[in-house]
Amino acid sequence: MSAEKLTTLEDAAALVRDGDTVAIQNMATQAAPMALVRELIRQGRRELGVVCLVGGIPVDWLAAAGAINRLIGAAVSMEQFGLCQRYRKAVEAGAIRVEELSETALNARLGAGARNLPFLPTRGLIGTDLIDVNDNLVMLDDPFGGPSVVACKALVPDVALVHAHKADRFGNIGYEPTALWPDLGIMPKAATTVIVTVEEIVDSEVLRADPDRTVLPGFMVDAVVEAPFGAHPTSFYPRYGYDTAMHLEWIGSARDDEAVAGFMEKYVTGPADHAAYLEAVGGSERLAAVEAWEAS
Amino acid sequence: MSAEKLTTLEDAAALVRDGDTVAIQNMATQAAPMALVRELIRQGRRELGVVCLVGGIPVDWLAAAGAINRLIGAAVSMEQFGLCQRYRKAVEAGAIRVEELSETALNARLGAGARNLPFLPTRGLIGTDLIDVNDNLVMLDDPFGGPSVVACKALVPDVALVHAHKADRFGNIGYEPTALWPDLGIMPKAATTVIVTVEEIVDSEVLRADPDRTVLPGFMVDAVVEAPFGAHPTSFYPRYGYDTAMHLEWIGSARDDEAVAGFMEKYVTGPADHAAYLEAVGGSERLAAVEAWEAS
Amino acid sequence: MSDWQNSPPAEDWTIDELMIARLAACFADGDQACNGMASFVPVSAFWLARLTHAPDLVWLAGAVGLEPRPDRVPASTLEAPLWRDSIMYVEQYGDFWTIALNGRWLTKFCVGSAQLDRYGNGNNSIIGADYHAPRVRLPGTAGLGDMGSIGKALYYWNPNHNPRSLVEQVDFISCAGYLGGGTERADAGLEGGPELVITNLCVMDFHPETRHMQVASLHPGVTFEQVQEATGFELPTPEGQLSTTAIPTVEQVRLIREVIDPDDMRRREFGG
Amino acid sequence: MSDWQNSPPAEDWTIDELMIARLAACFADGDQACNGMASFVPVSAFWLARLTHAPDLVWLAGAVGLEPRPDRVPASTLEAPLWRDSIMYVEQYGDFWTIALNGRWLTKFCVGSAQLDRYGNGNNSIIGADYHAPRVRLPGTAGLGDMGSIGKALYYWNPNHNPRSLVEQVDFISCAGYLGGGTERADAGLEGGPELVITNLCVMDFHPETRHMQVASLHPGVTFEQVQEATGFELPTPEGQLSTTAIPTVEQVRLIREVIDPDDMRRREFGG
């Protein structure tokens, strides 16, 4: 037996406090915990810091909502849909401060945080200007006389937001055969609090049938929430692809303040909850379309 | 398509040269690449160094054969079957020099080797005498003013020996659902040459059906050999358990030089090849017994 | 769930059962526990705790299998029969050591050590004066060299309390205890440290200031003098009457004998 | 395997196809190649190489899927349709970066960069003088900040050769090239470095001593003067006649159009 972790999206999002540093699973148009991001915006969270490997639409929506004032990450881009314009505009206006890291440097900062080490080294970034503008990176001699490294200071996010395929009510998290989303290897291990939304809550016996496909132990997870299509409009394979139409609708709006306000009201702050969001985007017909990614 | 890696046990073992530092997958009585170890002994390899997390019977047999003169590892033990007596005797006689590391320090040395870093830090071992007797460990100040760490110098074994469930002829290595043997995470990535024996060579399509259960890419593997029961007498789940009778026969012999010589001749140097070994241990009847581990 | 709370003390308990019950009492709901090799007493203790007062104690069998459902204690505590039917397999390199190093999880660790000294330093490396030319080569530090230094509360168990295993000073420190005693451990920047030593004669803890090992309770029928005689260093004279270690209950004994370890694997650790 | 070796030059080639064929020629059997996001030219080049001269080129699609069999180039080079039917999924944190850092594998890397300077330094971070108050915030360094420093041979591709993308000095180095030229890169302890720059006008490489970018071949119909005009720094005057970049063959063009990228995704990179 284990402790109960199952809760509501509202209560889970309430574990995030104003000012927290929040690690958000995401890769351009993949695998973001969008239901949680929308709920944080609905709850009016402010002055958040975001940690992401490659942030996409969740970063842009949080920027549009004025919820974030700093970002630690390797890139922010929606790939084929272009730069995140609201994020970009906020950075250029000085409203969001960026700590830009290479992927190994971000991994090193989070890896040190997860392992209670003061730092981890990388050989990436040497020669770039990114070291000079960042107090969390410093050149360090090898004590054995070898080449110097970049020491990357430990980073412990207050919260990690993860979306996964399935979980039991005790917070043991399983995945369905697919390429593992790239943040899973370290973000949830580094963060103080871990919140996971899943496509489906299952009986523990379902996880016991495939224990090599359980990816996070319940004791590491503070709250688990059932949120089918919880990554929409990003992709979550093998269940669904990214929603092209919705990304296009967003980039069509993102350069215009009024259009952004309308978009956010229509899809993010207007719908009362996750179910209402799914209706707002077009309900089962729209969702069937993203489920049909393999045929596309 | 990929390059062909399939070869014979003889040719694969010939990639190991006298004096090499050889990382051997093993955990007490689990998952050792025994067919390769026996072939190295048959080929008369000398002055090898062994790297292991927790070495068991392969280390003892290599010590009995006089094949090794140094060991880098966290422990050597056959658990319920006790200490490895030939190894112990050789260490006490000064014939094998031991670099004893904690598990995180060994992981750090191998992890640095795999990632082309001069060192990686751990917070394990602080306060122990193991740092003082080891030039590959040194206390290092945190450049950010936090607690000191133990810098662990990069280790790149010449060869890693791995046993796995299945592979295609191009060296892509797959596993069957079970707890992953503990060395897989880093040893083959750190070594210059990787040799893998497998229970079964399969068509690549078998691996493509379960790509999340492929654990080493073919480009990392230099030679792959089909050797069913290649981990015997250690366990290799879910296919077979460890062979209790053979471990008992070994520890019954291990304190007596003559008995050791007889044992080695009967099981290791006498049989001409892996198939002859399997016959020598009792053939299909004995193998059926270790396959029945779940019923035991 | 058995009716463990209303069970009277057993009459036919054996020393292994008493040690298991005492160690079980150290683990509570919300803790995570893992075991290494040849760890029949800890494994039985975790299992007993889960069947009685700590159903939500998380067990990572062999540092591999989360929440397993083995048939019974098997002959090895580091092979698949122990982690049968787990809910997750934890990979050693990337996952287990990250979890262990983190500090929030696995805060308690059970240690078996060939030598243990008065300040709780452990030695599984060598017996003798020269590390590179030892009189006896022991198995090696394995995970202990980590667990002693990374802030864990250490629970030593020793089924064979004698002057060779409990020594004034270990020949070699391969598991950091309180080092030279007093504030030495804290001065080295280390948190946590040895908490209890449970042997076949008594339970010992460490003085909060000197960090010297001292008797906390005597097992039924054992005297302080017997403990002192079996110990390789001078124990502080107890102030007042020493308490007696609790006797396992009828239900605890039944669970150990019938459910957890019907094959008596735990007895393999005793009498060595 | 197609009969690519006896195929004559195509007559109706387009610039995207020429760039893809030129980049494909940089990858050989035994190499491993991976791609990042919005990488239609590299993905098409790897695929073309595998279908022609380098069937044993290992492709790690999206740095995730080993030896995939996608239907065609999809709209994203960083989503599952690209790594359909892979033989292995490589995990980012533990596996991919270990493989990339190691030095023996993935020795060549294709880089797209918003700015690229005369010494092959790349910039995907910011346009402007102040990093913390940029005129333009670019997407960020992602993996380039690593790949530039860890000994890879870098192949820049640029479908829009113009003075804004090929500059005298990048506003900010987020991918290390030859830094200030000469021995500066080696002096910083870095191996590898920029190898080629393949644009829609020409192919450029780097002088072996000064490490300054220079024209290696002109695409058919392009003059040195046109290249100079489109470049934001002075190019060394070529010594003698510059060679002409090879025209893709009929078979290469067919493979790109019919097998690899029938949806013309590669053209999305052009004309920006």
Side-chain angles (χ1 to χ4, degrees):
Chain A
M1 266 184 290
S2 299
E4 172 83 32
K5 302 291 173 65
L6 187 62
T7 185
T8 63
L9 195 59
E10 291 74 8
D11 287 351
L15 295 173
V16 181
R17 291 161 191 269
D18 285 353
D20 273 358
T21 298
V22 184
I24 300 179
Q25 171 180 299
N26 192 197
M27 175 61 93
T29 51
Q30 279 180 49
M34 295 305 298
L36 278 166
V37 167
R38 286 185 288 267
E39 182 61 24
L40 288 176
I41 294 172
R42 277 196 290 272
Q43 292 187 10
R45 208 67 76 250
R46 281 292 178 275
E47 298 184 351
L48 299 178
V50 168
V51 181
C52 59
L53 184 66
V54 178
I57 208 166
V59 173
D60 223 17
W61 287 5
L62 286 164
I68 61 175
N69 62 17
R70 61 199 189 278
L71 180 131
I72 303 174
V76 176
S77 164
M78 295 182 293
E79 207 205 1
Q80 59 178 297
F81 305 108
L83 293 175
C84 290
Q85 296 296 342
R86 301 312 287 188
Y87 160 78
R88 175 185 161 182
K89 194 172 164 180
V91 175
E92 291 164 9
I96 296 176
R97 188 179 170 92
V98 181
E99 178 182 333
E100 183 183 346
L101 297 164
S102 70
E103 297 190 13
T104 66
L106 178 61
N107 286 344
R109 291 203 63 197
L110 290 167
R115 295 184 186 86
N116 204 16
L117 292 165
F119 73 92
L120 276 171
T122 183
R123 288 273 299 158
L125 285 184
I126 296 177
T128 72
D129 291 333
L130 286 160
I131 301 174
D132 306 326
V133 296
N134 191 336
D135 291 341
N136 295 317
L137 306 176
V138 64
M139 293 300 298
L140 177 68
D141 287 342
D142 172 31
F144 301 102
S148 298
V149 297
V150 183
C152 306
K153 188 176 180 178
L155 170 63
V156 177
D158 296 301
V159 188
L161 308 183
V162 171
H163 187 67
H165 294 104
K166 56 191 173 185
D168 65 12
R169 53 196 301 120
F170 311 113
N172 296 295
I173 310 297
Y175 82 101
E176 292 167 0
T178 185
L180 271 185
W181 41 105
D183 309 290
L184 196 74
I186 197 60
M187 268 188 190
K189 292 167 191 151
T192 305
T193 296
V194 177
I195 306 174
V196 185
T197 52
V198 291
E199 292 292 317
E200 196 178 348
I201 295 289
V202 298
D203 191 274
S204 301
E205 296 306 312
V206 174
L207 300 176
R208 285 188 197 272
D210 252 342
D212 65 319
R213 286 175 169 149
T214 301
V215 287
L216 291 177
F219 63 78
M220 202 180 275
V221 173
D222 297 275
V224 65
V225 176
E226 189 171 66
F229 294 97
H232 184 275
T234 66
S235 63
F236 206 69
Y237 302 102
R239 295 209 173 199
Y240 46 93
Y242 57 91
D243 190 327
T244 299
M246 194 167 195
H247 276 85
L248 290 174
E249 186 176 342
W250 172 245
I251 61 163
S253 310
R255 286 179 189 269
D256 179 81
D257 289 354
E258 205 167 312
V260 165
F263 183 100
M264 296 296 285
E265 165 64 23
K266 181 176 170 195
Y267 292 119
V268 182
T269 53
D273 57 19
H274 183 59
Y277 166 81
L278 295 180
E279 281 310 308
V281 302
S284 56
E285 199 175 323
R286 181 69 160 272
L287 300 175
V290 293
E291 284 181 313
W293 68 274
E294 283 206 85
S296 72
Chain B
M1 264 184 290
S2 298
E4 173 82 32
K5 303 291 173 66
L6 188 61
T7 185
T8 63
L9 196 58
E10 291 74 8
D11 287 352
L15 295 173
V16 181
R17 290 159 191 269
D18 286 353
D20 274 358
T21 299
V22 184
I24 300 179
Q25 170 180 298
N26 191 197
M27 175 60 94
T29 51
Q30 279 180 49
M34 294 306 297
L36 278 165
V37 167
R38 285 185 289 267
E39 181 61 25
L40 288 176
I41 294 172
R42 275 195 292 271
Q43 293 188 10
R45 209 66 75 251
R46 281 290 176 278
E47 299 187 348
L48 299 178
V50 167
V51 181
C52 60
L53 184 66
V54 178
I57 207 165
V59 173
D60 223 16
W61 287 4
L62 287 164
I68 61 174
N69 62 16
R70 61 200 189 278
L71 180 131
I72 303 173
V76 176
S77 164
M78 295 182 292
E79 207 205 359
Q80 59 178 298
F81 305 108
L83 293 176
C84 290
Q85 295 298 342
R86 303 311 289 191
Y87 160 78
R88 176 185 159 180
K89 196 173 164 180
V91 175
E92 290 164 9
I96 296 176
R97 187 178 171 92
V98 181
E99 178 182 332
E100 183 183 345
L101 297 164
S102 71
E103 297 190 11
T104 66
L106 178 61
N107 286 344
R109 290 204 63 198
L110 291 169
R115 294 184 188 85
N116 204 16
L117 292 165
F119 73 92
L120 276 171
T122 181
R123 288 273 299 156
L125 285 184
I126 296 176
T128 72
D129 291 334
L130 286 160
I131 301 174
D132 305 327
V133 296
N134 191 336
D135 291 340
N136 296 317
L137 305 176
V138 63
M139 293 300 298
L140 177 68
D141 288 342
D142 172 31
F144 301 102
S148 297
V149 297
V150 183
C152 306
K153 189 176 181 178
L155 170 63
V156 177
D158 296 302
V159 188
L161 307 183
V162 171
H163 186 68
H165 293 105
K166 55 190 173 185
D168 64 13
R169 53 197 300 121
F170 311 112
N172 296 294
I173 310 296
Y175 81 102
E176 292 168 358
T178 184
L180 270 186
W181 42 105
D183 308 290
L184 195 74
I186 197 63
M187 268 189 190
K189 292 167 191 151
T192 305
T193 297
V194 177
I195 305 174
V196 184
T197 53
V198 292
E199 292 293 317
E200 196 178 349
I201 295 289
V202 297
D203 191 273
S204 301
E205 296 306 311
V206 173
L207 300 177
R208 285 188 196 272
D210 252 342
D212 64 320
R213 284 172 171 152
T214 301
V215 288
L216 291 177
F219 63 79
M220 203 181 275
V221 173
D222 296 275
V224 66
V225 176
E226 189 172 65
F229 293 98
H232 184 274
T234 66
S235 63
F236 205 69
Y237 302 103
R239 294 208 172 199
Y240 46 93
Y242 56 91
D243 189 328
T244 299
M246 192 166 197
H247 275 86
L248 290 173
E249 187 177 342
W250 172 246
I251 61 164
S253 311
R255 284 178 191 270
D256 179 82
D257 289 353
E258 206 168 311
V260 164
F263 183 99
M264 295 296 283
E265 165 64 23
K266 181 174 170 197
Y267 292 119
V268 182
T269 53
D273 57 19
H274 183 59
Y277 166 82
L278 294 180
E279 281 311 307
V281 302
S284 57
E285 200 175 324
R286 181 70 159 274
L287 300 175
V290 293
E291 284 182 312
W293 69 273
E294 283 206 86
S296 72
Chain C
M1 192 64 44
S2 64
D3 185 22
W4 62 274
Q5 283 166 303
N6 298 312
S7 181
E11 296 194 358
D12 63 341
W13 59 273
T14 55
I15 186 61
D16 47 291
E17 291 151 357
L18 178 137
M19 285 178 64
I20 288 166
R22 182 63 189 86
L23 187 58
C26 300
F27 286 81
D29 272 350
D31 286 343
Q32 303 87 33
C34 70
N35 66 277
M37 56 179 144
S39 299
F40 302 108
V41 167
V43 160
S44 300
F46 304 154
W47 198 335
L48 181 63
R50 285 157 59 91
L51 289 176
T52 57
H53 68 279
D56 290 349
L57 169 67
V58 175
W59 179 25
L60 203 52
V64 168
L66 181 69
E67 306 286 17
R69 294 190 295 211
D71 290 347
R72 54 183 67 194
V73 174
S76 163
T77 61
L78 208 64
E79 291 269 350
L82 187 72
W83 51 77
R84 202 182 289 249
D85 219 6
S86 290
I87 209 159
M88 176 182 183
Y89 295 138
V90 173
E91 192 267 331
Q92 182 261 148
Y93 176 78
D95 284 346
F96 175 74
W97 280 110
T98 302
I99 289 167
L101 288 165
N102 182 283
R104 269 175 297 157
W105 309 302
L106 292 169
T107 56
K108 299 172 180 176
F109 190 70
C110 297
V111 185
S113 186
Q115 279 188 333
L116 178 64
D117 74 16
R118 67 196 193 282
Y119 293 123
N121 302 298
N123 175 20
N124 272 343
S125 295
I126 55 114
I127 304 293
D130 182 350
Y131 177 78
H132 288 298
R135 189 154 54 76
V136 180
R137 176 69 231 184
L138 297 168
T141 189
L144 307 189
D146 295 306
M147 294 301 192
S149 302
I150 57 174
K152 306 302 179 194
L154 301 178
Y155 294 82
Y156 286 96
W157 87 99
N158 178 349
N160 302 294
H161 191 143
N162 66 48
R164 290 182 312 286
S165 62
L166 285 148
V167 299
E168 176 142 346
Q169 191 171 345
V170 287
D171 288 13
F172 189 88
I173 300 179
S174 52
C175 178
Y178 292 109
L179 304 178
T183 62
E184 267 200 31
R185 181 182 173 87
D187 294 346
L190 304 181
E191 300 181 348
E195 193 76 18
L196 283 187
V197 182
I198 300 174
T199 80
N200 55 324
L201 298 181
C202 65
V203 177
M204 294 181 282
D205 58 13
F206 296 83
H207 187 279
E209 281 168 23
T210 66
R211 299 305 193 179
H212 197 290
M213 203 186 297
Q214 60 188 13
V215 177
S217 71
L218 295 165
H219 296 345
V222 178
T223 66
F224 177 78
E225 289 67 31
Q226 286 174 305
V227 172
Q228 179 61 76
E229 196 167 335
T231 302
F233 56 88
E234 195 176 343
L235 288 162
T237 309
E239 296 171 22
Q241 182 73 26
L242 279 166
S243 63
T244 302
T245 313
I247 292 169
T249 66
V250 168
E251 180 60 6
Q252 286 178 315
V253 167
R254 184 190 74 79
L255 287 169
I256 294 170
R257 293 181 191 174
E258 296 179 13
V259 176
I260 298 171
D261 184 25
D263 295 333
D264 291 346
M265 292 297 170
R266 66 196 181 279
R267 300 219 168 119
R268 292 184 170 197
E269 292 195 42
F270 289 77
Chain D
M1 192 66 42
S2 63
D3 184 23
W4 61 276
Q5 284 167 301
N6 298 312
S7 182
E11 296 194 359
D12 63 340
W13 60 274
T14 56
I15 187 62
D16 47 291
E17 290 151 357
L18 178 139
M19 286 178 64
I20 287 166
R22 182 64 190 85
L23 186 58
C26 301
F27 287 82
D29 272 350
D31 285 343
Q32 303 87 32
C34 71
N35 68 277
M37 55 179 145
S39 299
F40 301 107
V41 167
V43 160
S44 301
F46 305 154
W47 198 337
L48 181 63
R50 284 158 59 91
L51 288 176
T52 57
H53 67 279
D56 290 349
L57 169 67
V58 175
W59 179 25
L60 203 52
V64 168
L66 180 69
E67 307 285 17
R69 296 189 295 212
D71 290 346
R72 54 184 67 197
V73 174
S76 164
T77 61
L78 208 64
E79 291 269 348
L82 187 72
W83 51 79
R84 201 182 291 248
D85 219 7
S86 290
I87 209 158
M88 175 181 183
Y89 295 138
V90 173
E91 193 266 330
Q92 183 262 149
Y93 176 77
D95 284 344
F96 175 75
W97 279 110
T98 302
I99 290 167
L101 288 165
N102 181 282
R104 267 176 299 157
W105 308 302
L106 292 170
T107 56
K108 299 171 180 176
F109 189 71
C110 298
V111 185
S113 185
Q115 278 189 334
L116 176 64
D117 73 17
R118 67 194 192 283
Y119 293 123
N121 301 298
N123 175 20
N124 271 341
S125 295
I126 57 116
I127 304 292
D130 182 351
Y131 178 78
H132 288 297
R135 189 153 54 76
V136 180
R137 175 71 231 184
L138 297 168
T141 190
L144 307 189
D146 295 306
M147 294 300 191
S149 302
I150 58 175
K152 307 302 179 195
L154 301 179
Y155 294 81
Y156 285 96
W157 87 99
N158 179 348
N160 302 293
H161 192 143
N162 66 48
R164 291 182 312 286
S165 61
L166 285 149
V167 298
E168 174 142 347
Q169 192 172 344
V170 289
D171 288 13
F172 189 88
I173 299 179
S174 52
C175 178
Y178 291 109
L179 305 177
T183 63
E184 267 201 31
R185 181 181 172 89
D187 295 345
L190 304 181
E191 299 180 349
E195 194 76 20
L196 284 187
V197 182
I198 300 174
T199 79
N200 55 322
L201 299 181
C202 65
V203 177
M204 294 180 282
D205 58 13
F206 296 84
H207 187 279
E209 281 168 23
T210 66
R211 300 304 195 180
H212 197 289
M213 201 185 297
Q214 60 191 13
V215 177
S217 70
L218 295 166
H219 297 344
V222 178
T223 66
F224 177 77
E225 290 66 33
Q226 285 174 307
V227 172
Q228 179 62 76
E229 196 169 335
T231 303
F233 56 89
E234 195 177 342
L235 287 162
T237 308
E239 297 170 22
Q241 182 76 21
L242 279 166
S243 63
T244 303
T245 314
I247 292 169
T249 66
V250 168
E251 180 60 7
Q252 285 178 316
V253 167
R254 185 191 72 81
L255 288 169
I256 294 169
R257 292 182 191 174
E258 295 179 14
V259 176
I260 297 171
D261 185 25
D263 295 335
D264 292 346
M265 292 297 171
R266 66 197 180 279
R267 303 221 166 119
R268 292 184 171 197
E269 292 196 40
F270 290 77

